[in-house]
């Protein structure tokens, strides 16, 4: 079968002919991969910043944002049927008995670091015509989501982040009282840092939860992303028009920040302007650049005197995948145009090199594996 693989020893990316995987256990399912999304992680792997082949393999088949169609099921994989559309999870558990997270099926919180990730760390990914994996890692997607379901995996980042944010906010004595028919985020203000696919999907999730949502990004408005943001009922603020230290004064109290840029300077500057009881969610993974200067006294004073919580979040559990599938269904009904326009290009498998090594133009670009 055709697959796209990175070869760390020779630092090359190639379309290869890989052996077809076959069902090895009764709980396995076999998928025909339909589409694979490309993100910054894939581009970093293509630059050999990281990415680890499976033990004993010379190459790693990449790709972790995917949509597949079930073509064969093992005798015990009774919940799925050929023809079902599924989005597979990315992380697989570590082998250690002592890791309560992995043993509880929450390898997204693995303690040991010995987890594997399909297409990233120690396990082949989804840029391949066929994939076999255990049915428990599959998330079934309604057929009506076929054209946008490849966005499920990047949306899980926001879903896991927002779930944890609500867990944190249960500390507020009134936090758990939810008025019937009124979304959680009602009367609260959220800022999304960055207008890439993770940020824009996060903005859709925040608007859906009732937040007054502001997307703060470098690019001058008007631009297509700003138009997309306005079309979902959020507000686009360019750093060019409003410097960070003026943002709080301009938009009012900031209750939640969803960071989706990986730019640490702007994130920590943002941390200086958030409001009382605010939660700051980090999702980006910055490259290691030089140290920057920060007003640590101000940050620490604010965090203590304003009850602020800062946390980072990575990967996602089954609950976040299920929430992403539900939310994507909602987004598609509310903003069909905006959701479609997150996918800026669909390309044949042969375009892999341009997409992985090029400048990353557009919002989300997709490789069509089997049509
Ligand atoms: Zn990704
Ligand atoms: Zn573990």
């Amino acid at each position: 079968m055709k697959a796209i693989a990175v070869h760390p020893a020779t630092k090359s990316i190639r379309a290869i002919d890989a052996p077809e995987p076959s069902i090895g256990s009764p709980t396995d399912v076999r998928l025909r991969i339909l589409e694979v999304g490309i993100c910054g992680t894939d581009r970093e792997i293509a630059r050999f910043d990281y990415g680890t082949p499976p033990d004993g393999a010379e190459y790693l088949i990449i790709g972790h944002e995917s949509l597949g169609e079930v073509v064969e099921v093992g005798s015990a994989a009774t919940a799925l049927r050929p023809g079902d559309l599924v989005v597979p999870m990315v992380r697989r558990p570590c082998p250690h008995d002592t890791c309560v997270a992995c043993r509880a099926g929450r390898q997204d919180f693995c303690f040991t670091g010995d987890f594997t990730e399909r297409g990233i760390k120690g396990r082949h990914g989804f840029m391949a015509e066929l994939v076999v994996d255990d049915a428990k890692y599959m998330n079934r997607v309604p057929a009506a989501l076929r054209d946008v379901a490849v966005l499920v995996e990047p949306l899980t980042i926001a879903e896991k982040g927002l779930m944890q944010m609500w867990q944190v906010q249960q500390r507020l004595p009134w936090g758990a009282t939810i008025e019937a028919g009124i979304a959680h985020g009602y009367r609260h203000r959220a800022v999304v840092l960055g207008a890439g696919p993770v940020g824009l999907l996060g903005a859709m999730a925040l608007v859906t939860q009732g937040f007054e949502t502001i997307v703060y990004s470098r690019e001058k408005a008007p631009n297509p992303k700003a138009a997309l943001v306005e079309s979902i009922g959020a507000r686009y603020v360019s750093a060019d028009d409003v410097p960070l230290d003026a943002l709080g004064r301009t938009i009012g109290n900031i209750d939640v920040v969803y960071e989706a840029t990986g730019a640490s300077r702007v994130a920590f500057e943002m941390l200086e302007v958030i409001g009382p009881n605010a939660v700051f969610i980090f999702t980006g993974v910055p490259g290691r650049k030089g140290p920057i200067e920060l007003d640590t006294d101000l940050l620490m004073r604010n965090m203590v005197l304003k009850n602020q919580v800062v946390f980072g979040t990575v990967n996602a559990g089954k609950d976040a995948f299920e929430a992403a599938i539900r939310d994507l269904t909602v987004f598609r009904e509310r903003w069909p145009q905006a959701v479609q326009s997150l996918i800026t290009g669909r390309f044949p498998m042969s375009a892999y090199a341009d997409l992985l090594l090029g400048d990353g133009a557009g919002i989300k670009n997709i490789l069509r594996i089997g049509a």
Side-chain angles (χ1 to χ4, degrees):
M1 65 169 183
K2 275 190 289 179
I4 308 300
V6 295
H7 297 67
T10 54
K11 295 216 171 189
S12 60
I13 312 175
R14 293 203 291 271
I16 61 167
D17 191 22
E20 282 190 9
S22 51
I23 290 205
S25 112
T27 53
D28 277 351
V29 293
R30 188 149 96 135
L31 311 180
R32 181 170 77 96
I33 296 294
L34 302 174
E35 296 189 324
V36 176
I38 292 174
C39 74
T41 300
D42 299 305
R43 279 194 286 273
E44 282 161 11
I45 295 172
R47 286 202 309 261
F48 299 93
D49 291 349
Y50 50 95
T52 317
D55 280 345
E58 278 169 20
Y59 60 84
L60 169 73
I61 297 174
I62 63 169
H64 58 275
E65 303 178 2
S66 71
L67 171 67
E69 182 191 333
V70 176
V71 289
E72 191 187 349
V73 297
S75 57
T78 49
L80 288 169
R81 253 175 262 178
D84 283 347
L85 296 181
V86 291
V87 172
M89 294 164 79
V90 178
R91 195 178 276 192
R92 302 291 174 266
C94 77
H96 308 292
D97 288 339
T98 50
C99 183
V100 291
C102 286
R103 302 292 69 81
R106 289 309 302 261
Q107 49 274 15
D108 56 317
F109 286 113
C110 177
F111 282 94
T112 67
D114 292 337
F115 56 82
T116 55
E117 286 173 335
R118 293 207 65 154
I120 302 172
K121 179 176 182 273
R123 240 174 235 272
H124 288 313
F126 304 130
M127 268 184 215
E129 289 177 294
L130 294 164
V131 159
V132 167
D133 210 334
D134 197 288
K136 72 179 169 210
Y137 302 121
M138 302 298 148
N139 301 281
R140 192 155 35 149
V141 172
L145 280 188
R146 164 81 169 76
D147 55 344
V148 292
V150 71
L151 298 172
V152 165
E153 198 280 339
L155 175 57
T156 60
I157 301 168
E159 299 292 354
K160 180 179 171 188
L162 295 184
M163 280 175 192
Q164 292 171 89
M165 185 271 291
W166 286 119
Q167 285 166 348
V168 171
Q169 291 311 59
Q170 288 196 13
R171 70 196 168 133
L172 304 175
W174 60 92
T177 28
I178 296 157
E179 291 173 62
I182 293 181
H184 279 47
Y186 177 63
R187 276 187 283 160
H188 287 80
R189 189 173 292 119
V191 172
V192 175
L193 274 181
V198 174
L200 293 171
L201 285 164
M204 289 181 181
L206 285 158
V207 171
T208 301
Q209 295 197 359
F211 283 91
E212 180 192 333
T213 305
I214 292 98
V215 175
Y216 188 72
S217 180
R218 271 186 315 203
E219 240 179 293
K220 243 184 179 354
N223 67 62
K225 287 174 183 171
L228 193 157
V229 166
E230 307 284 338
S231 79
I232 63 161
R235 189 171 148 201
Y236 184 89
V237 177
S238 165
D240 231 60
D241 298 325
V242 182
L244 243 180
D245 53 8
L247 190 63
R249 284 198 303 280
T250 310
I251 64 171
N253 203 38
I254 299 167
D255 301 295
V256 177
V257 176
Y258 180 68
E259 179 281 326
T261 64
S264 64
R265 174 190 290 270
V266 69
F268 276 90
E269 284 170 0
M270 182 83 213
L271 195 49
E272 292 178 357
V273 300
I274 61 176
N277 308 324
V279 179
F280 193 109
I281 308 167
F282 276 111
T283 78
V285 183
R288 294 289 297 275
K289 298 173 207 80
I292 62 160
E293 230 167 76
L294 279 176
D295 188 344
T296 51
D297 287 342
L298 175 68
L299 283 173
M300 188 163 161
R301 277 178 64 88
N302 274 351
M303 278 195 212
V304 171
L305 297 176
K306 297 183 180 173
N307 297 300
Q308 295 166 343
V309 174
V310 179
F311 69 83
T313 180
V314 70
N315 207 263
K318 196 99 192 157
D319 53 356
F321 273 87
E322 284 164 1
I325 291 165
R326 277 197 306 274
D327 257 359
L328 206 54
T329 307
V330 174
F331 300 171
R332 207 173 171 286
E333 270 164 31
R334 265 180 98 168
W335 312 298
Q337 201 73 45
V339 178
Q340 294 286 353
S341 64
L342 291 173
I343 298 176
T344 40
R346 284 187 155 90
F347 300 87
M349 233 170 150
S350 56
Y352 69 91
D354 286 347
L355 293 173
L356 289 163
L357 303 170
D359 59 2
I363 302 175
K364 177 59 74 184
N365 290 317
I366 307 294
L367 272 192
R368 277 205 150 112
I369 308 289

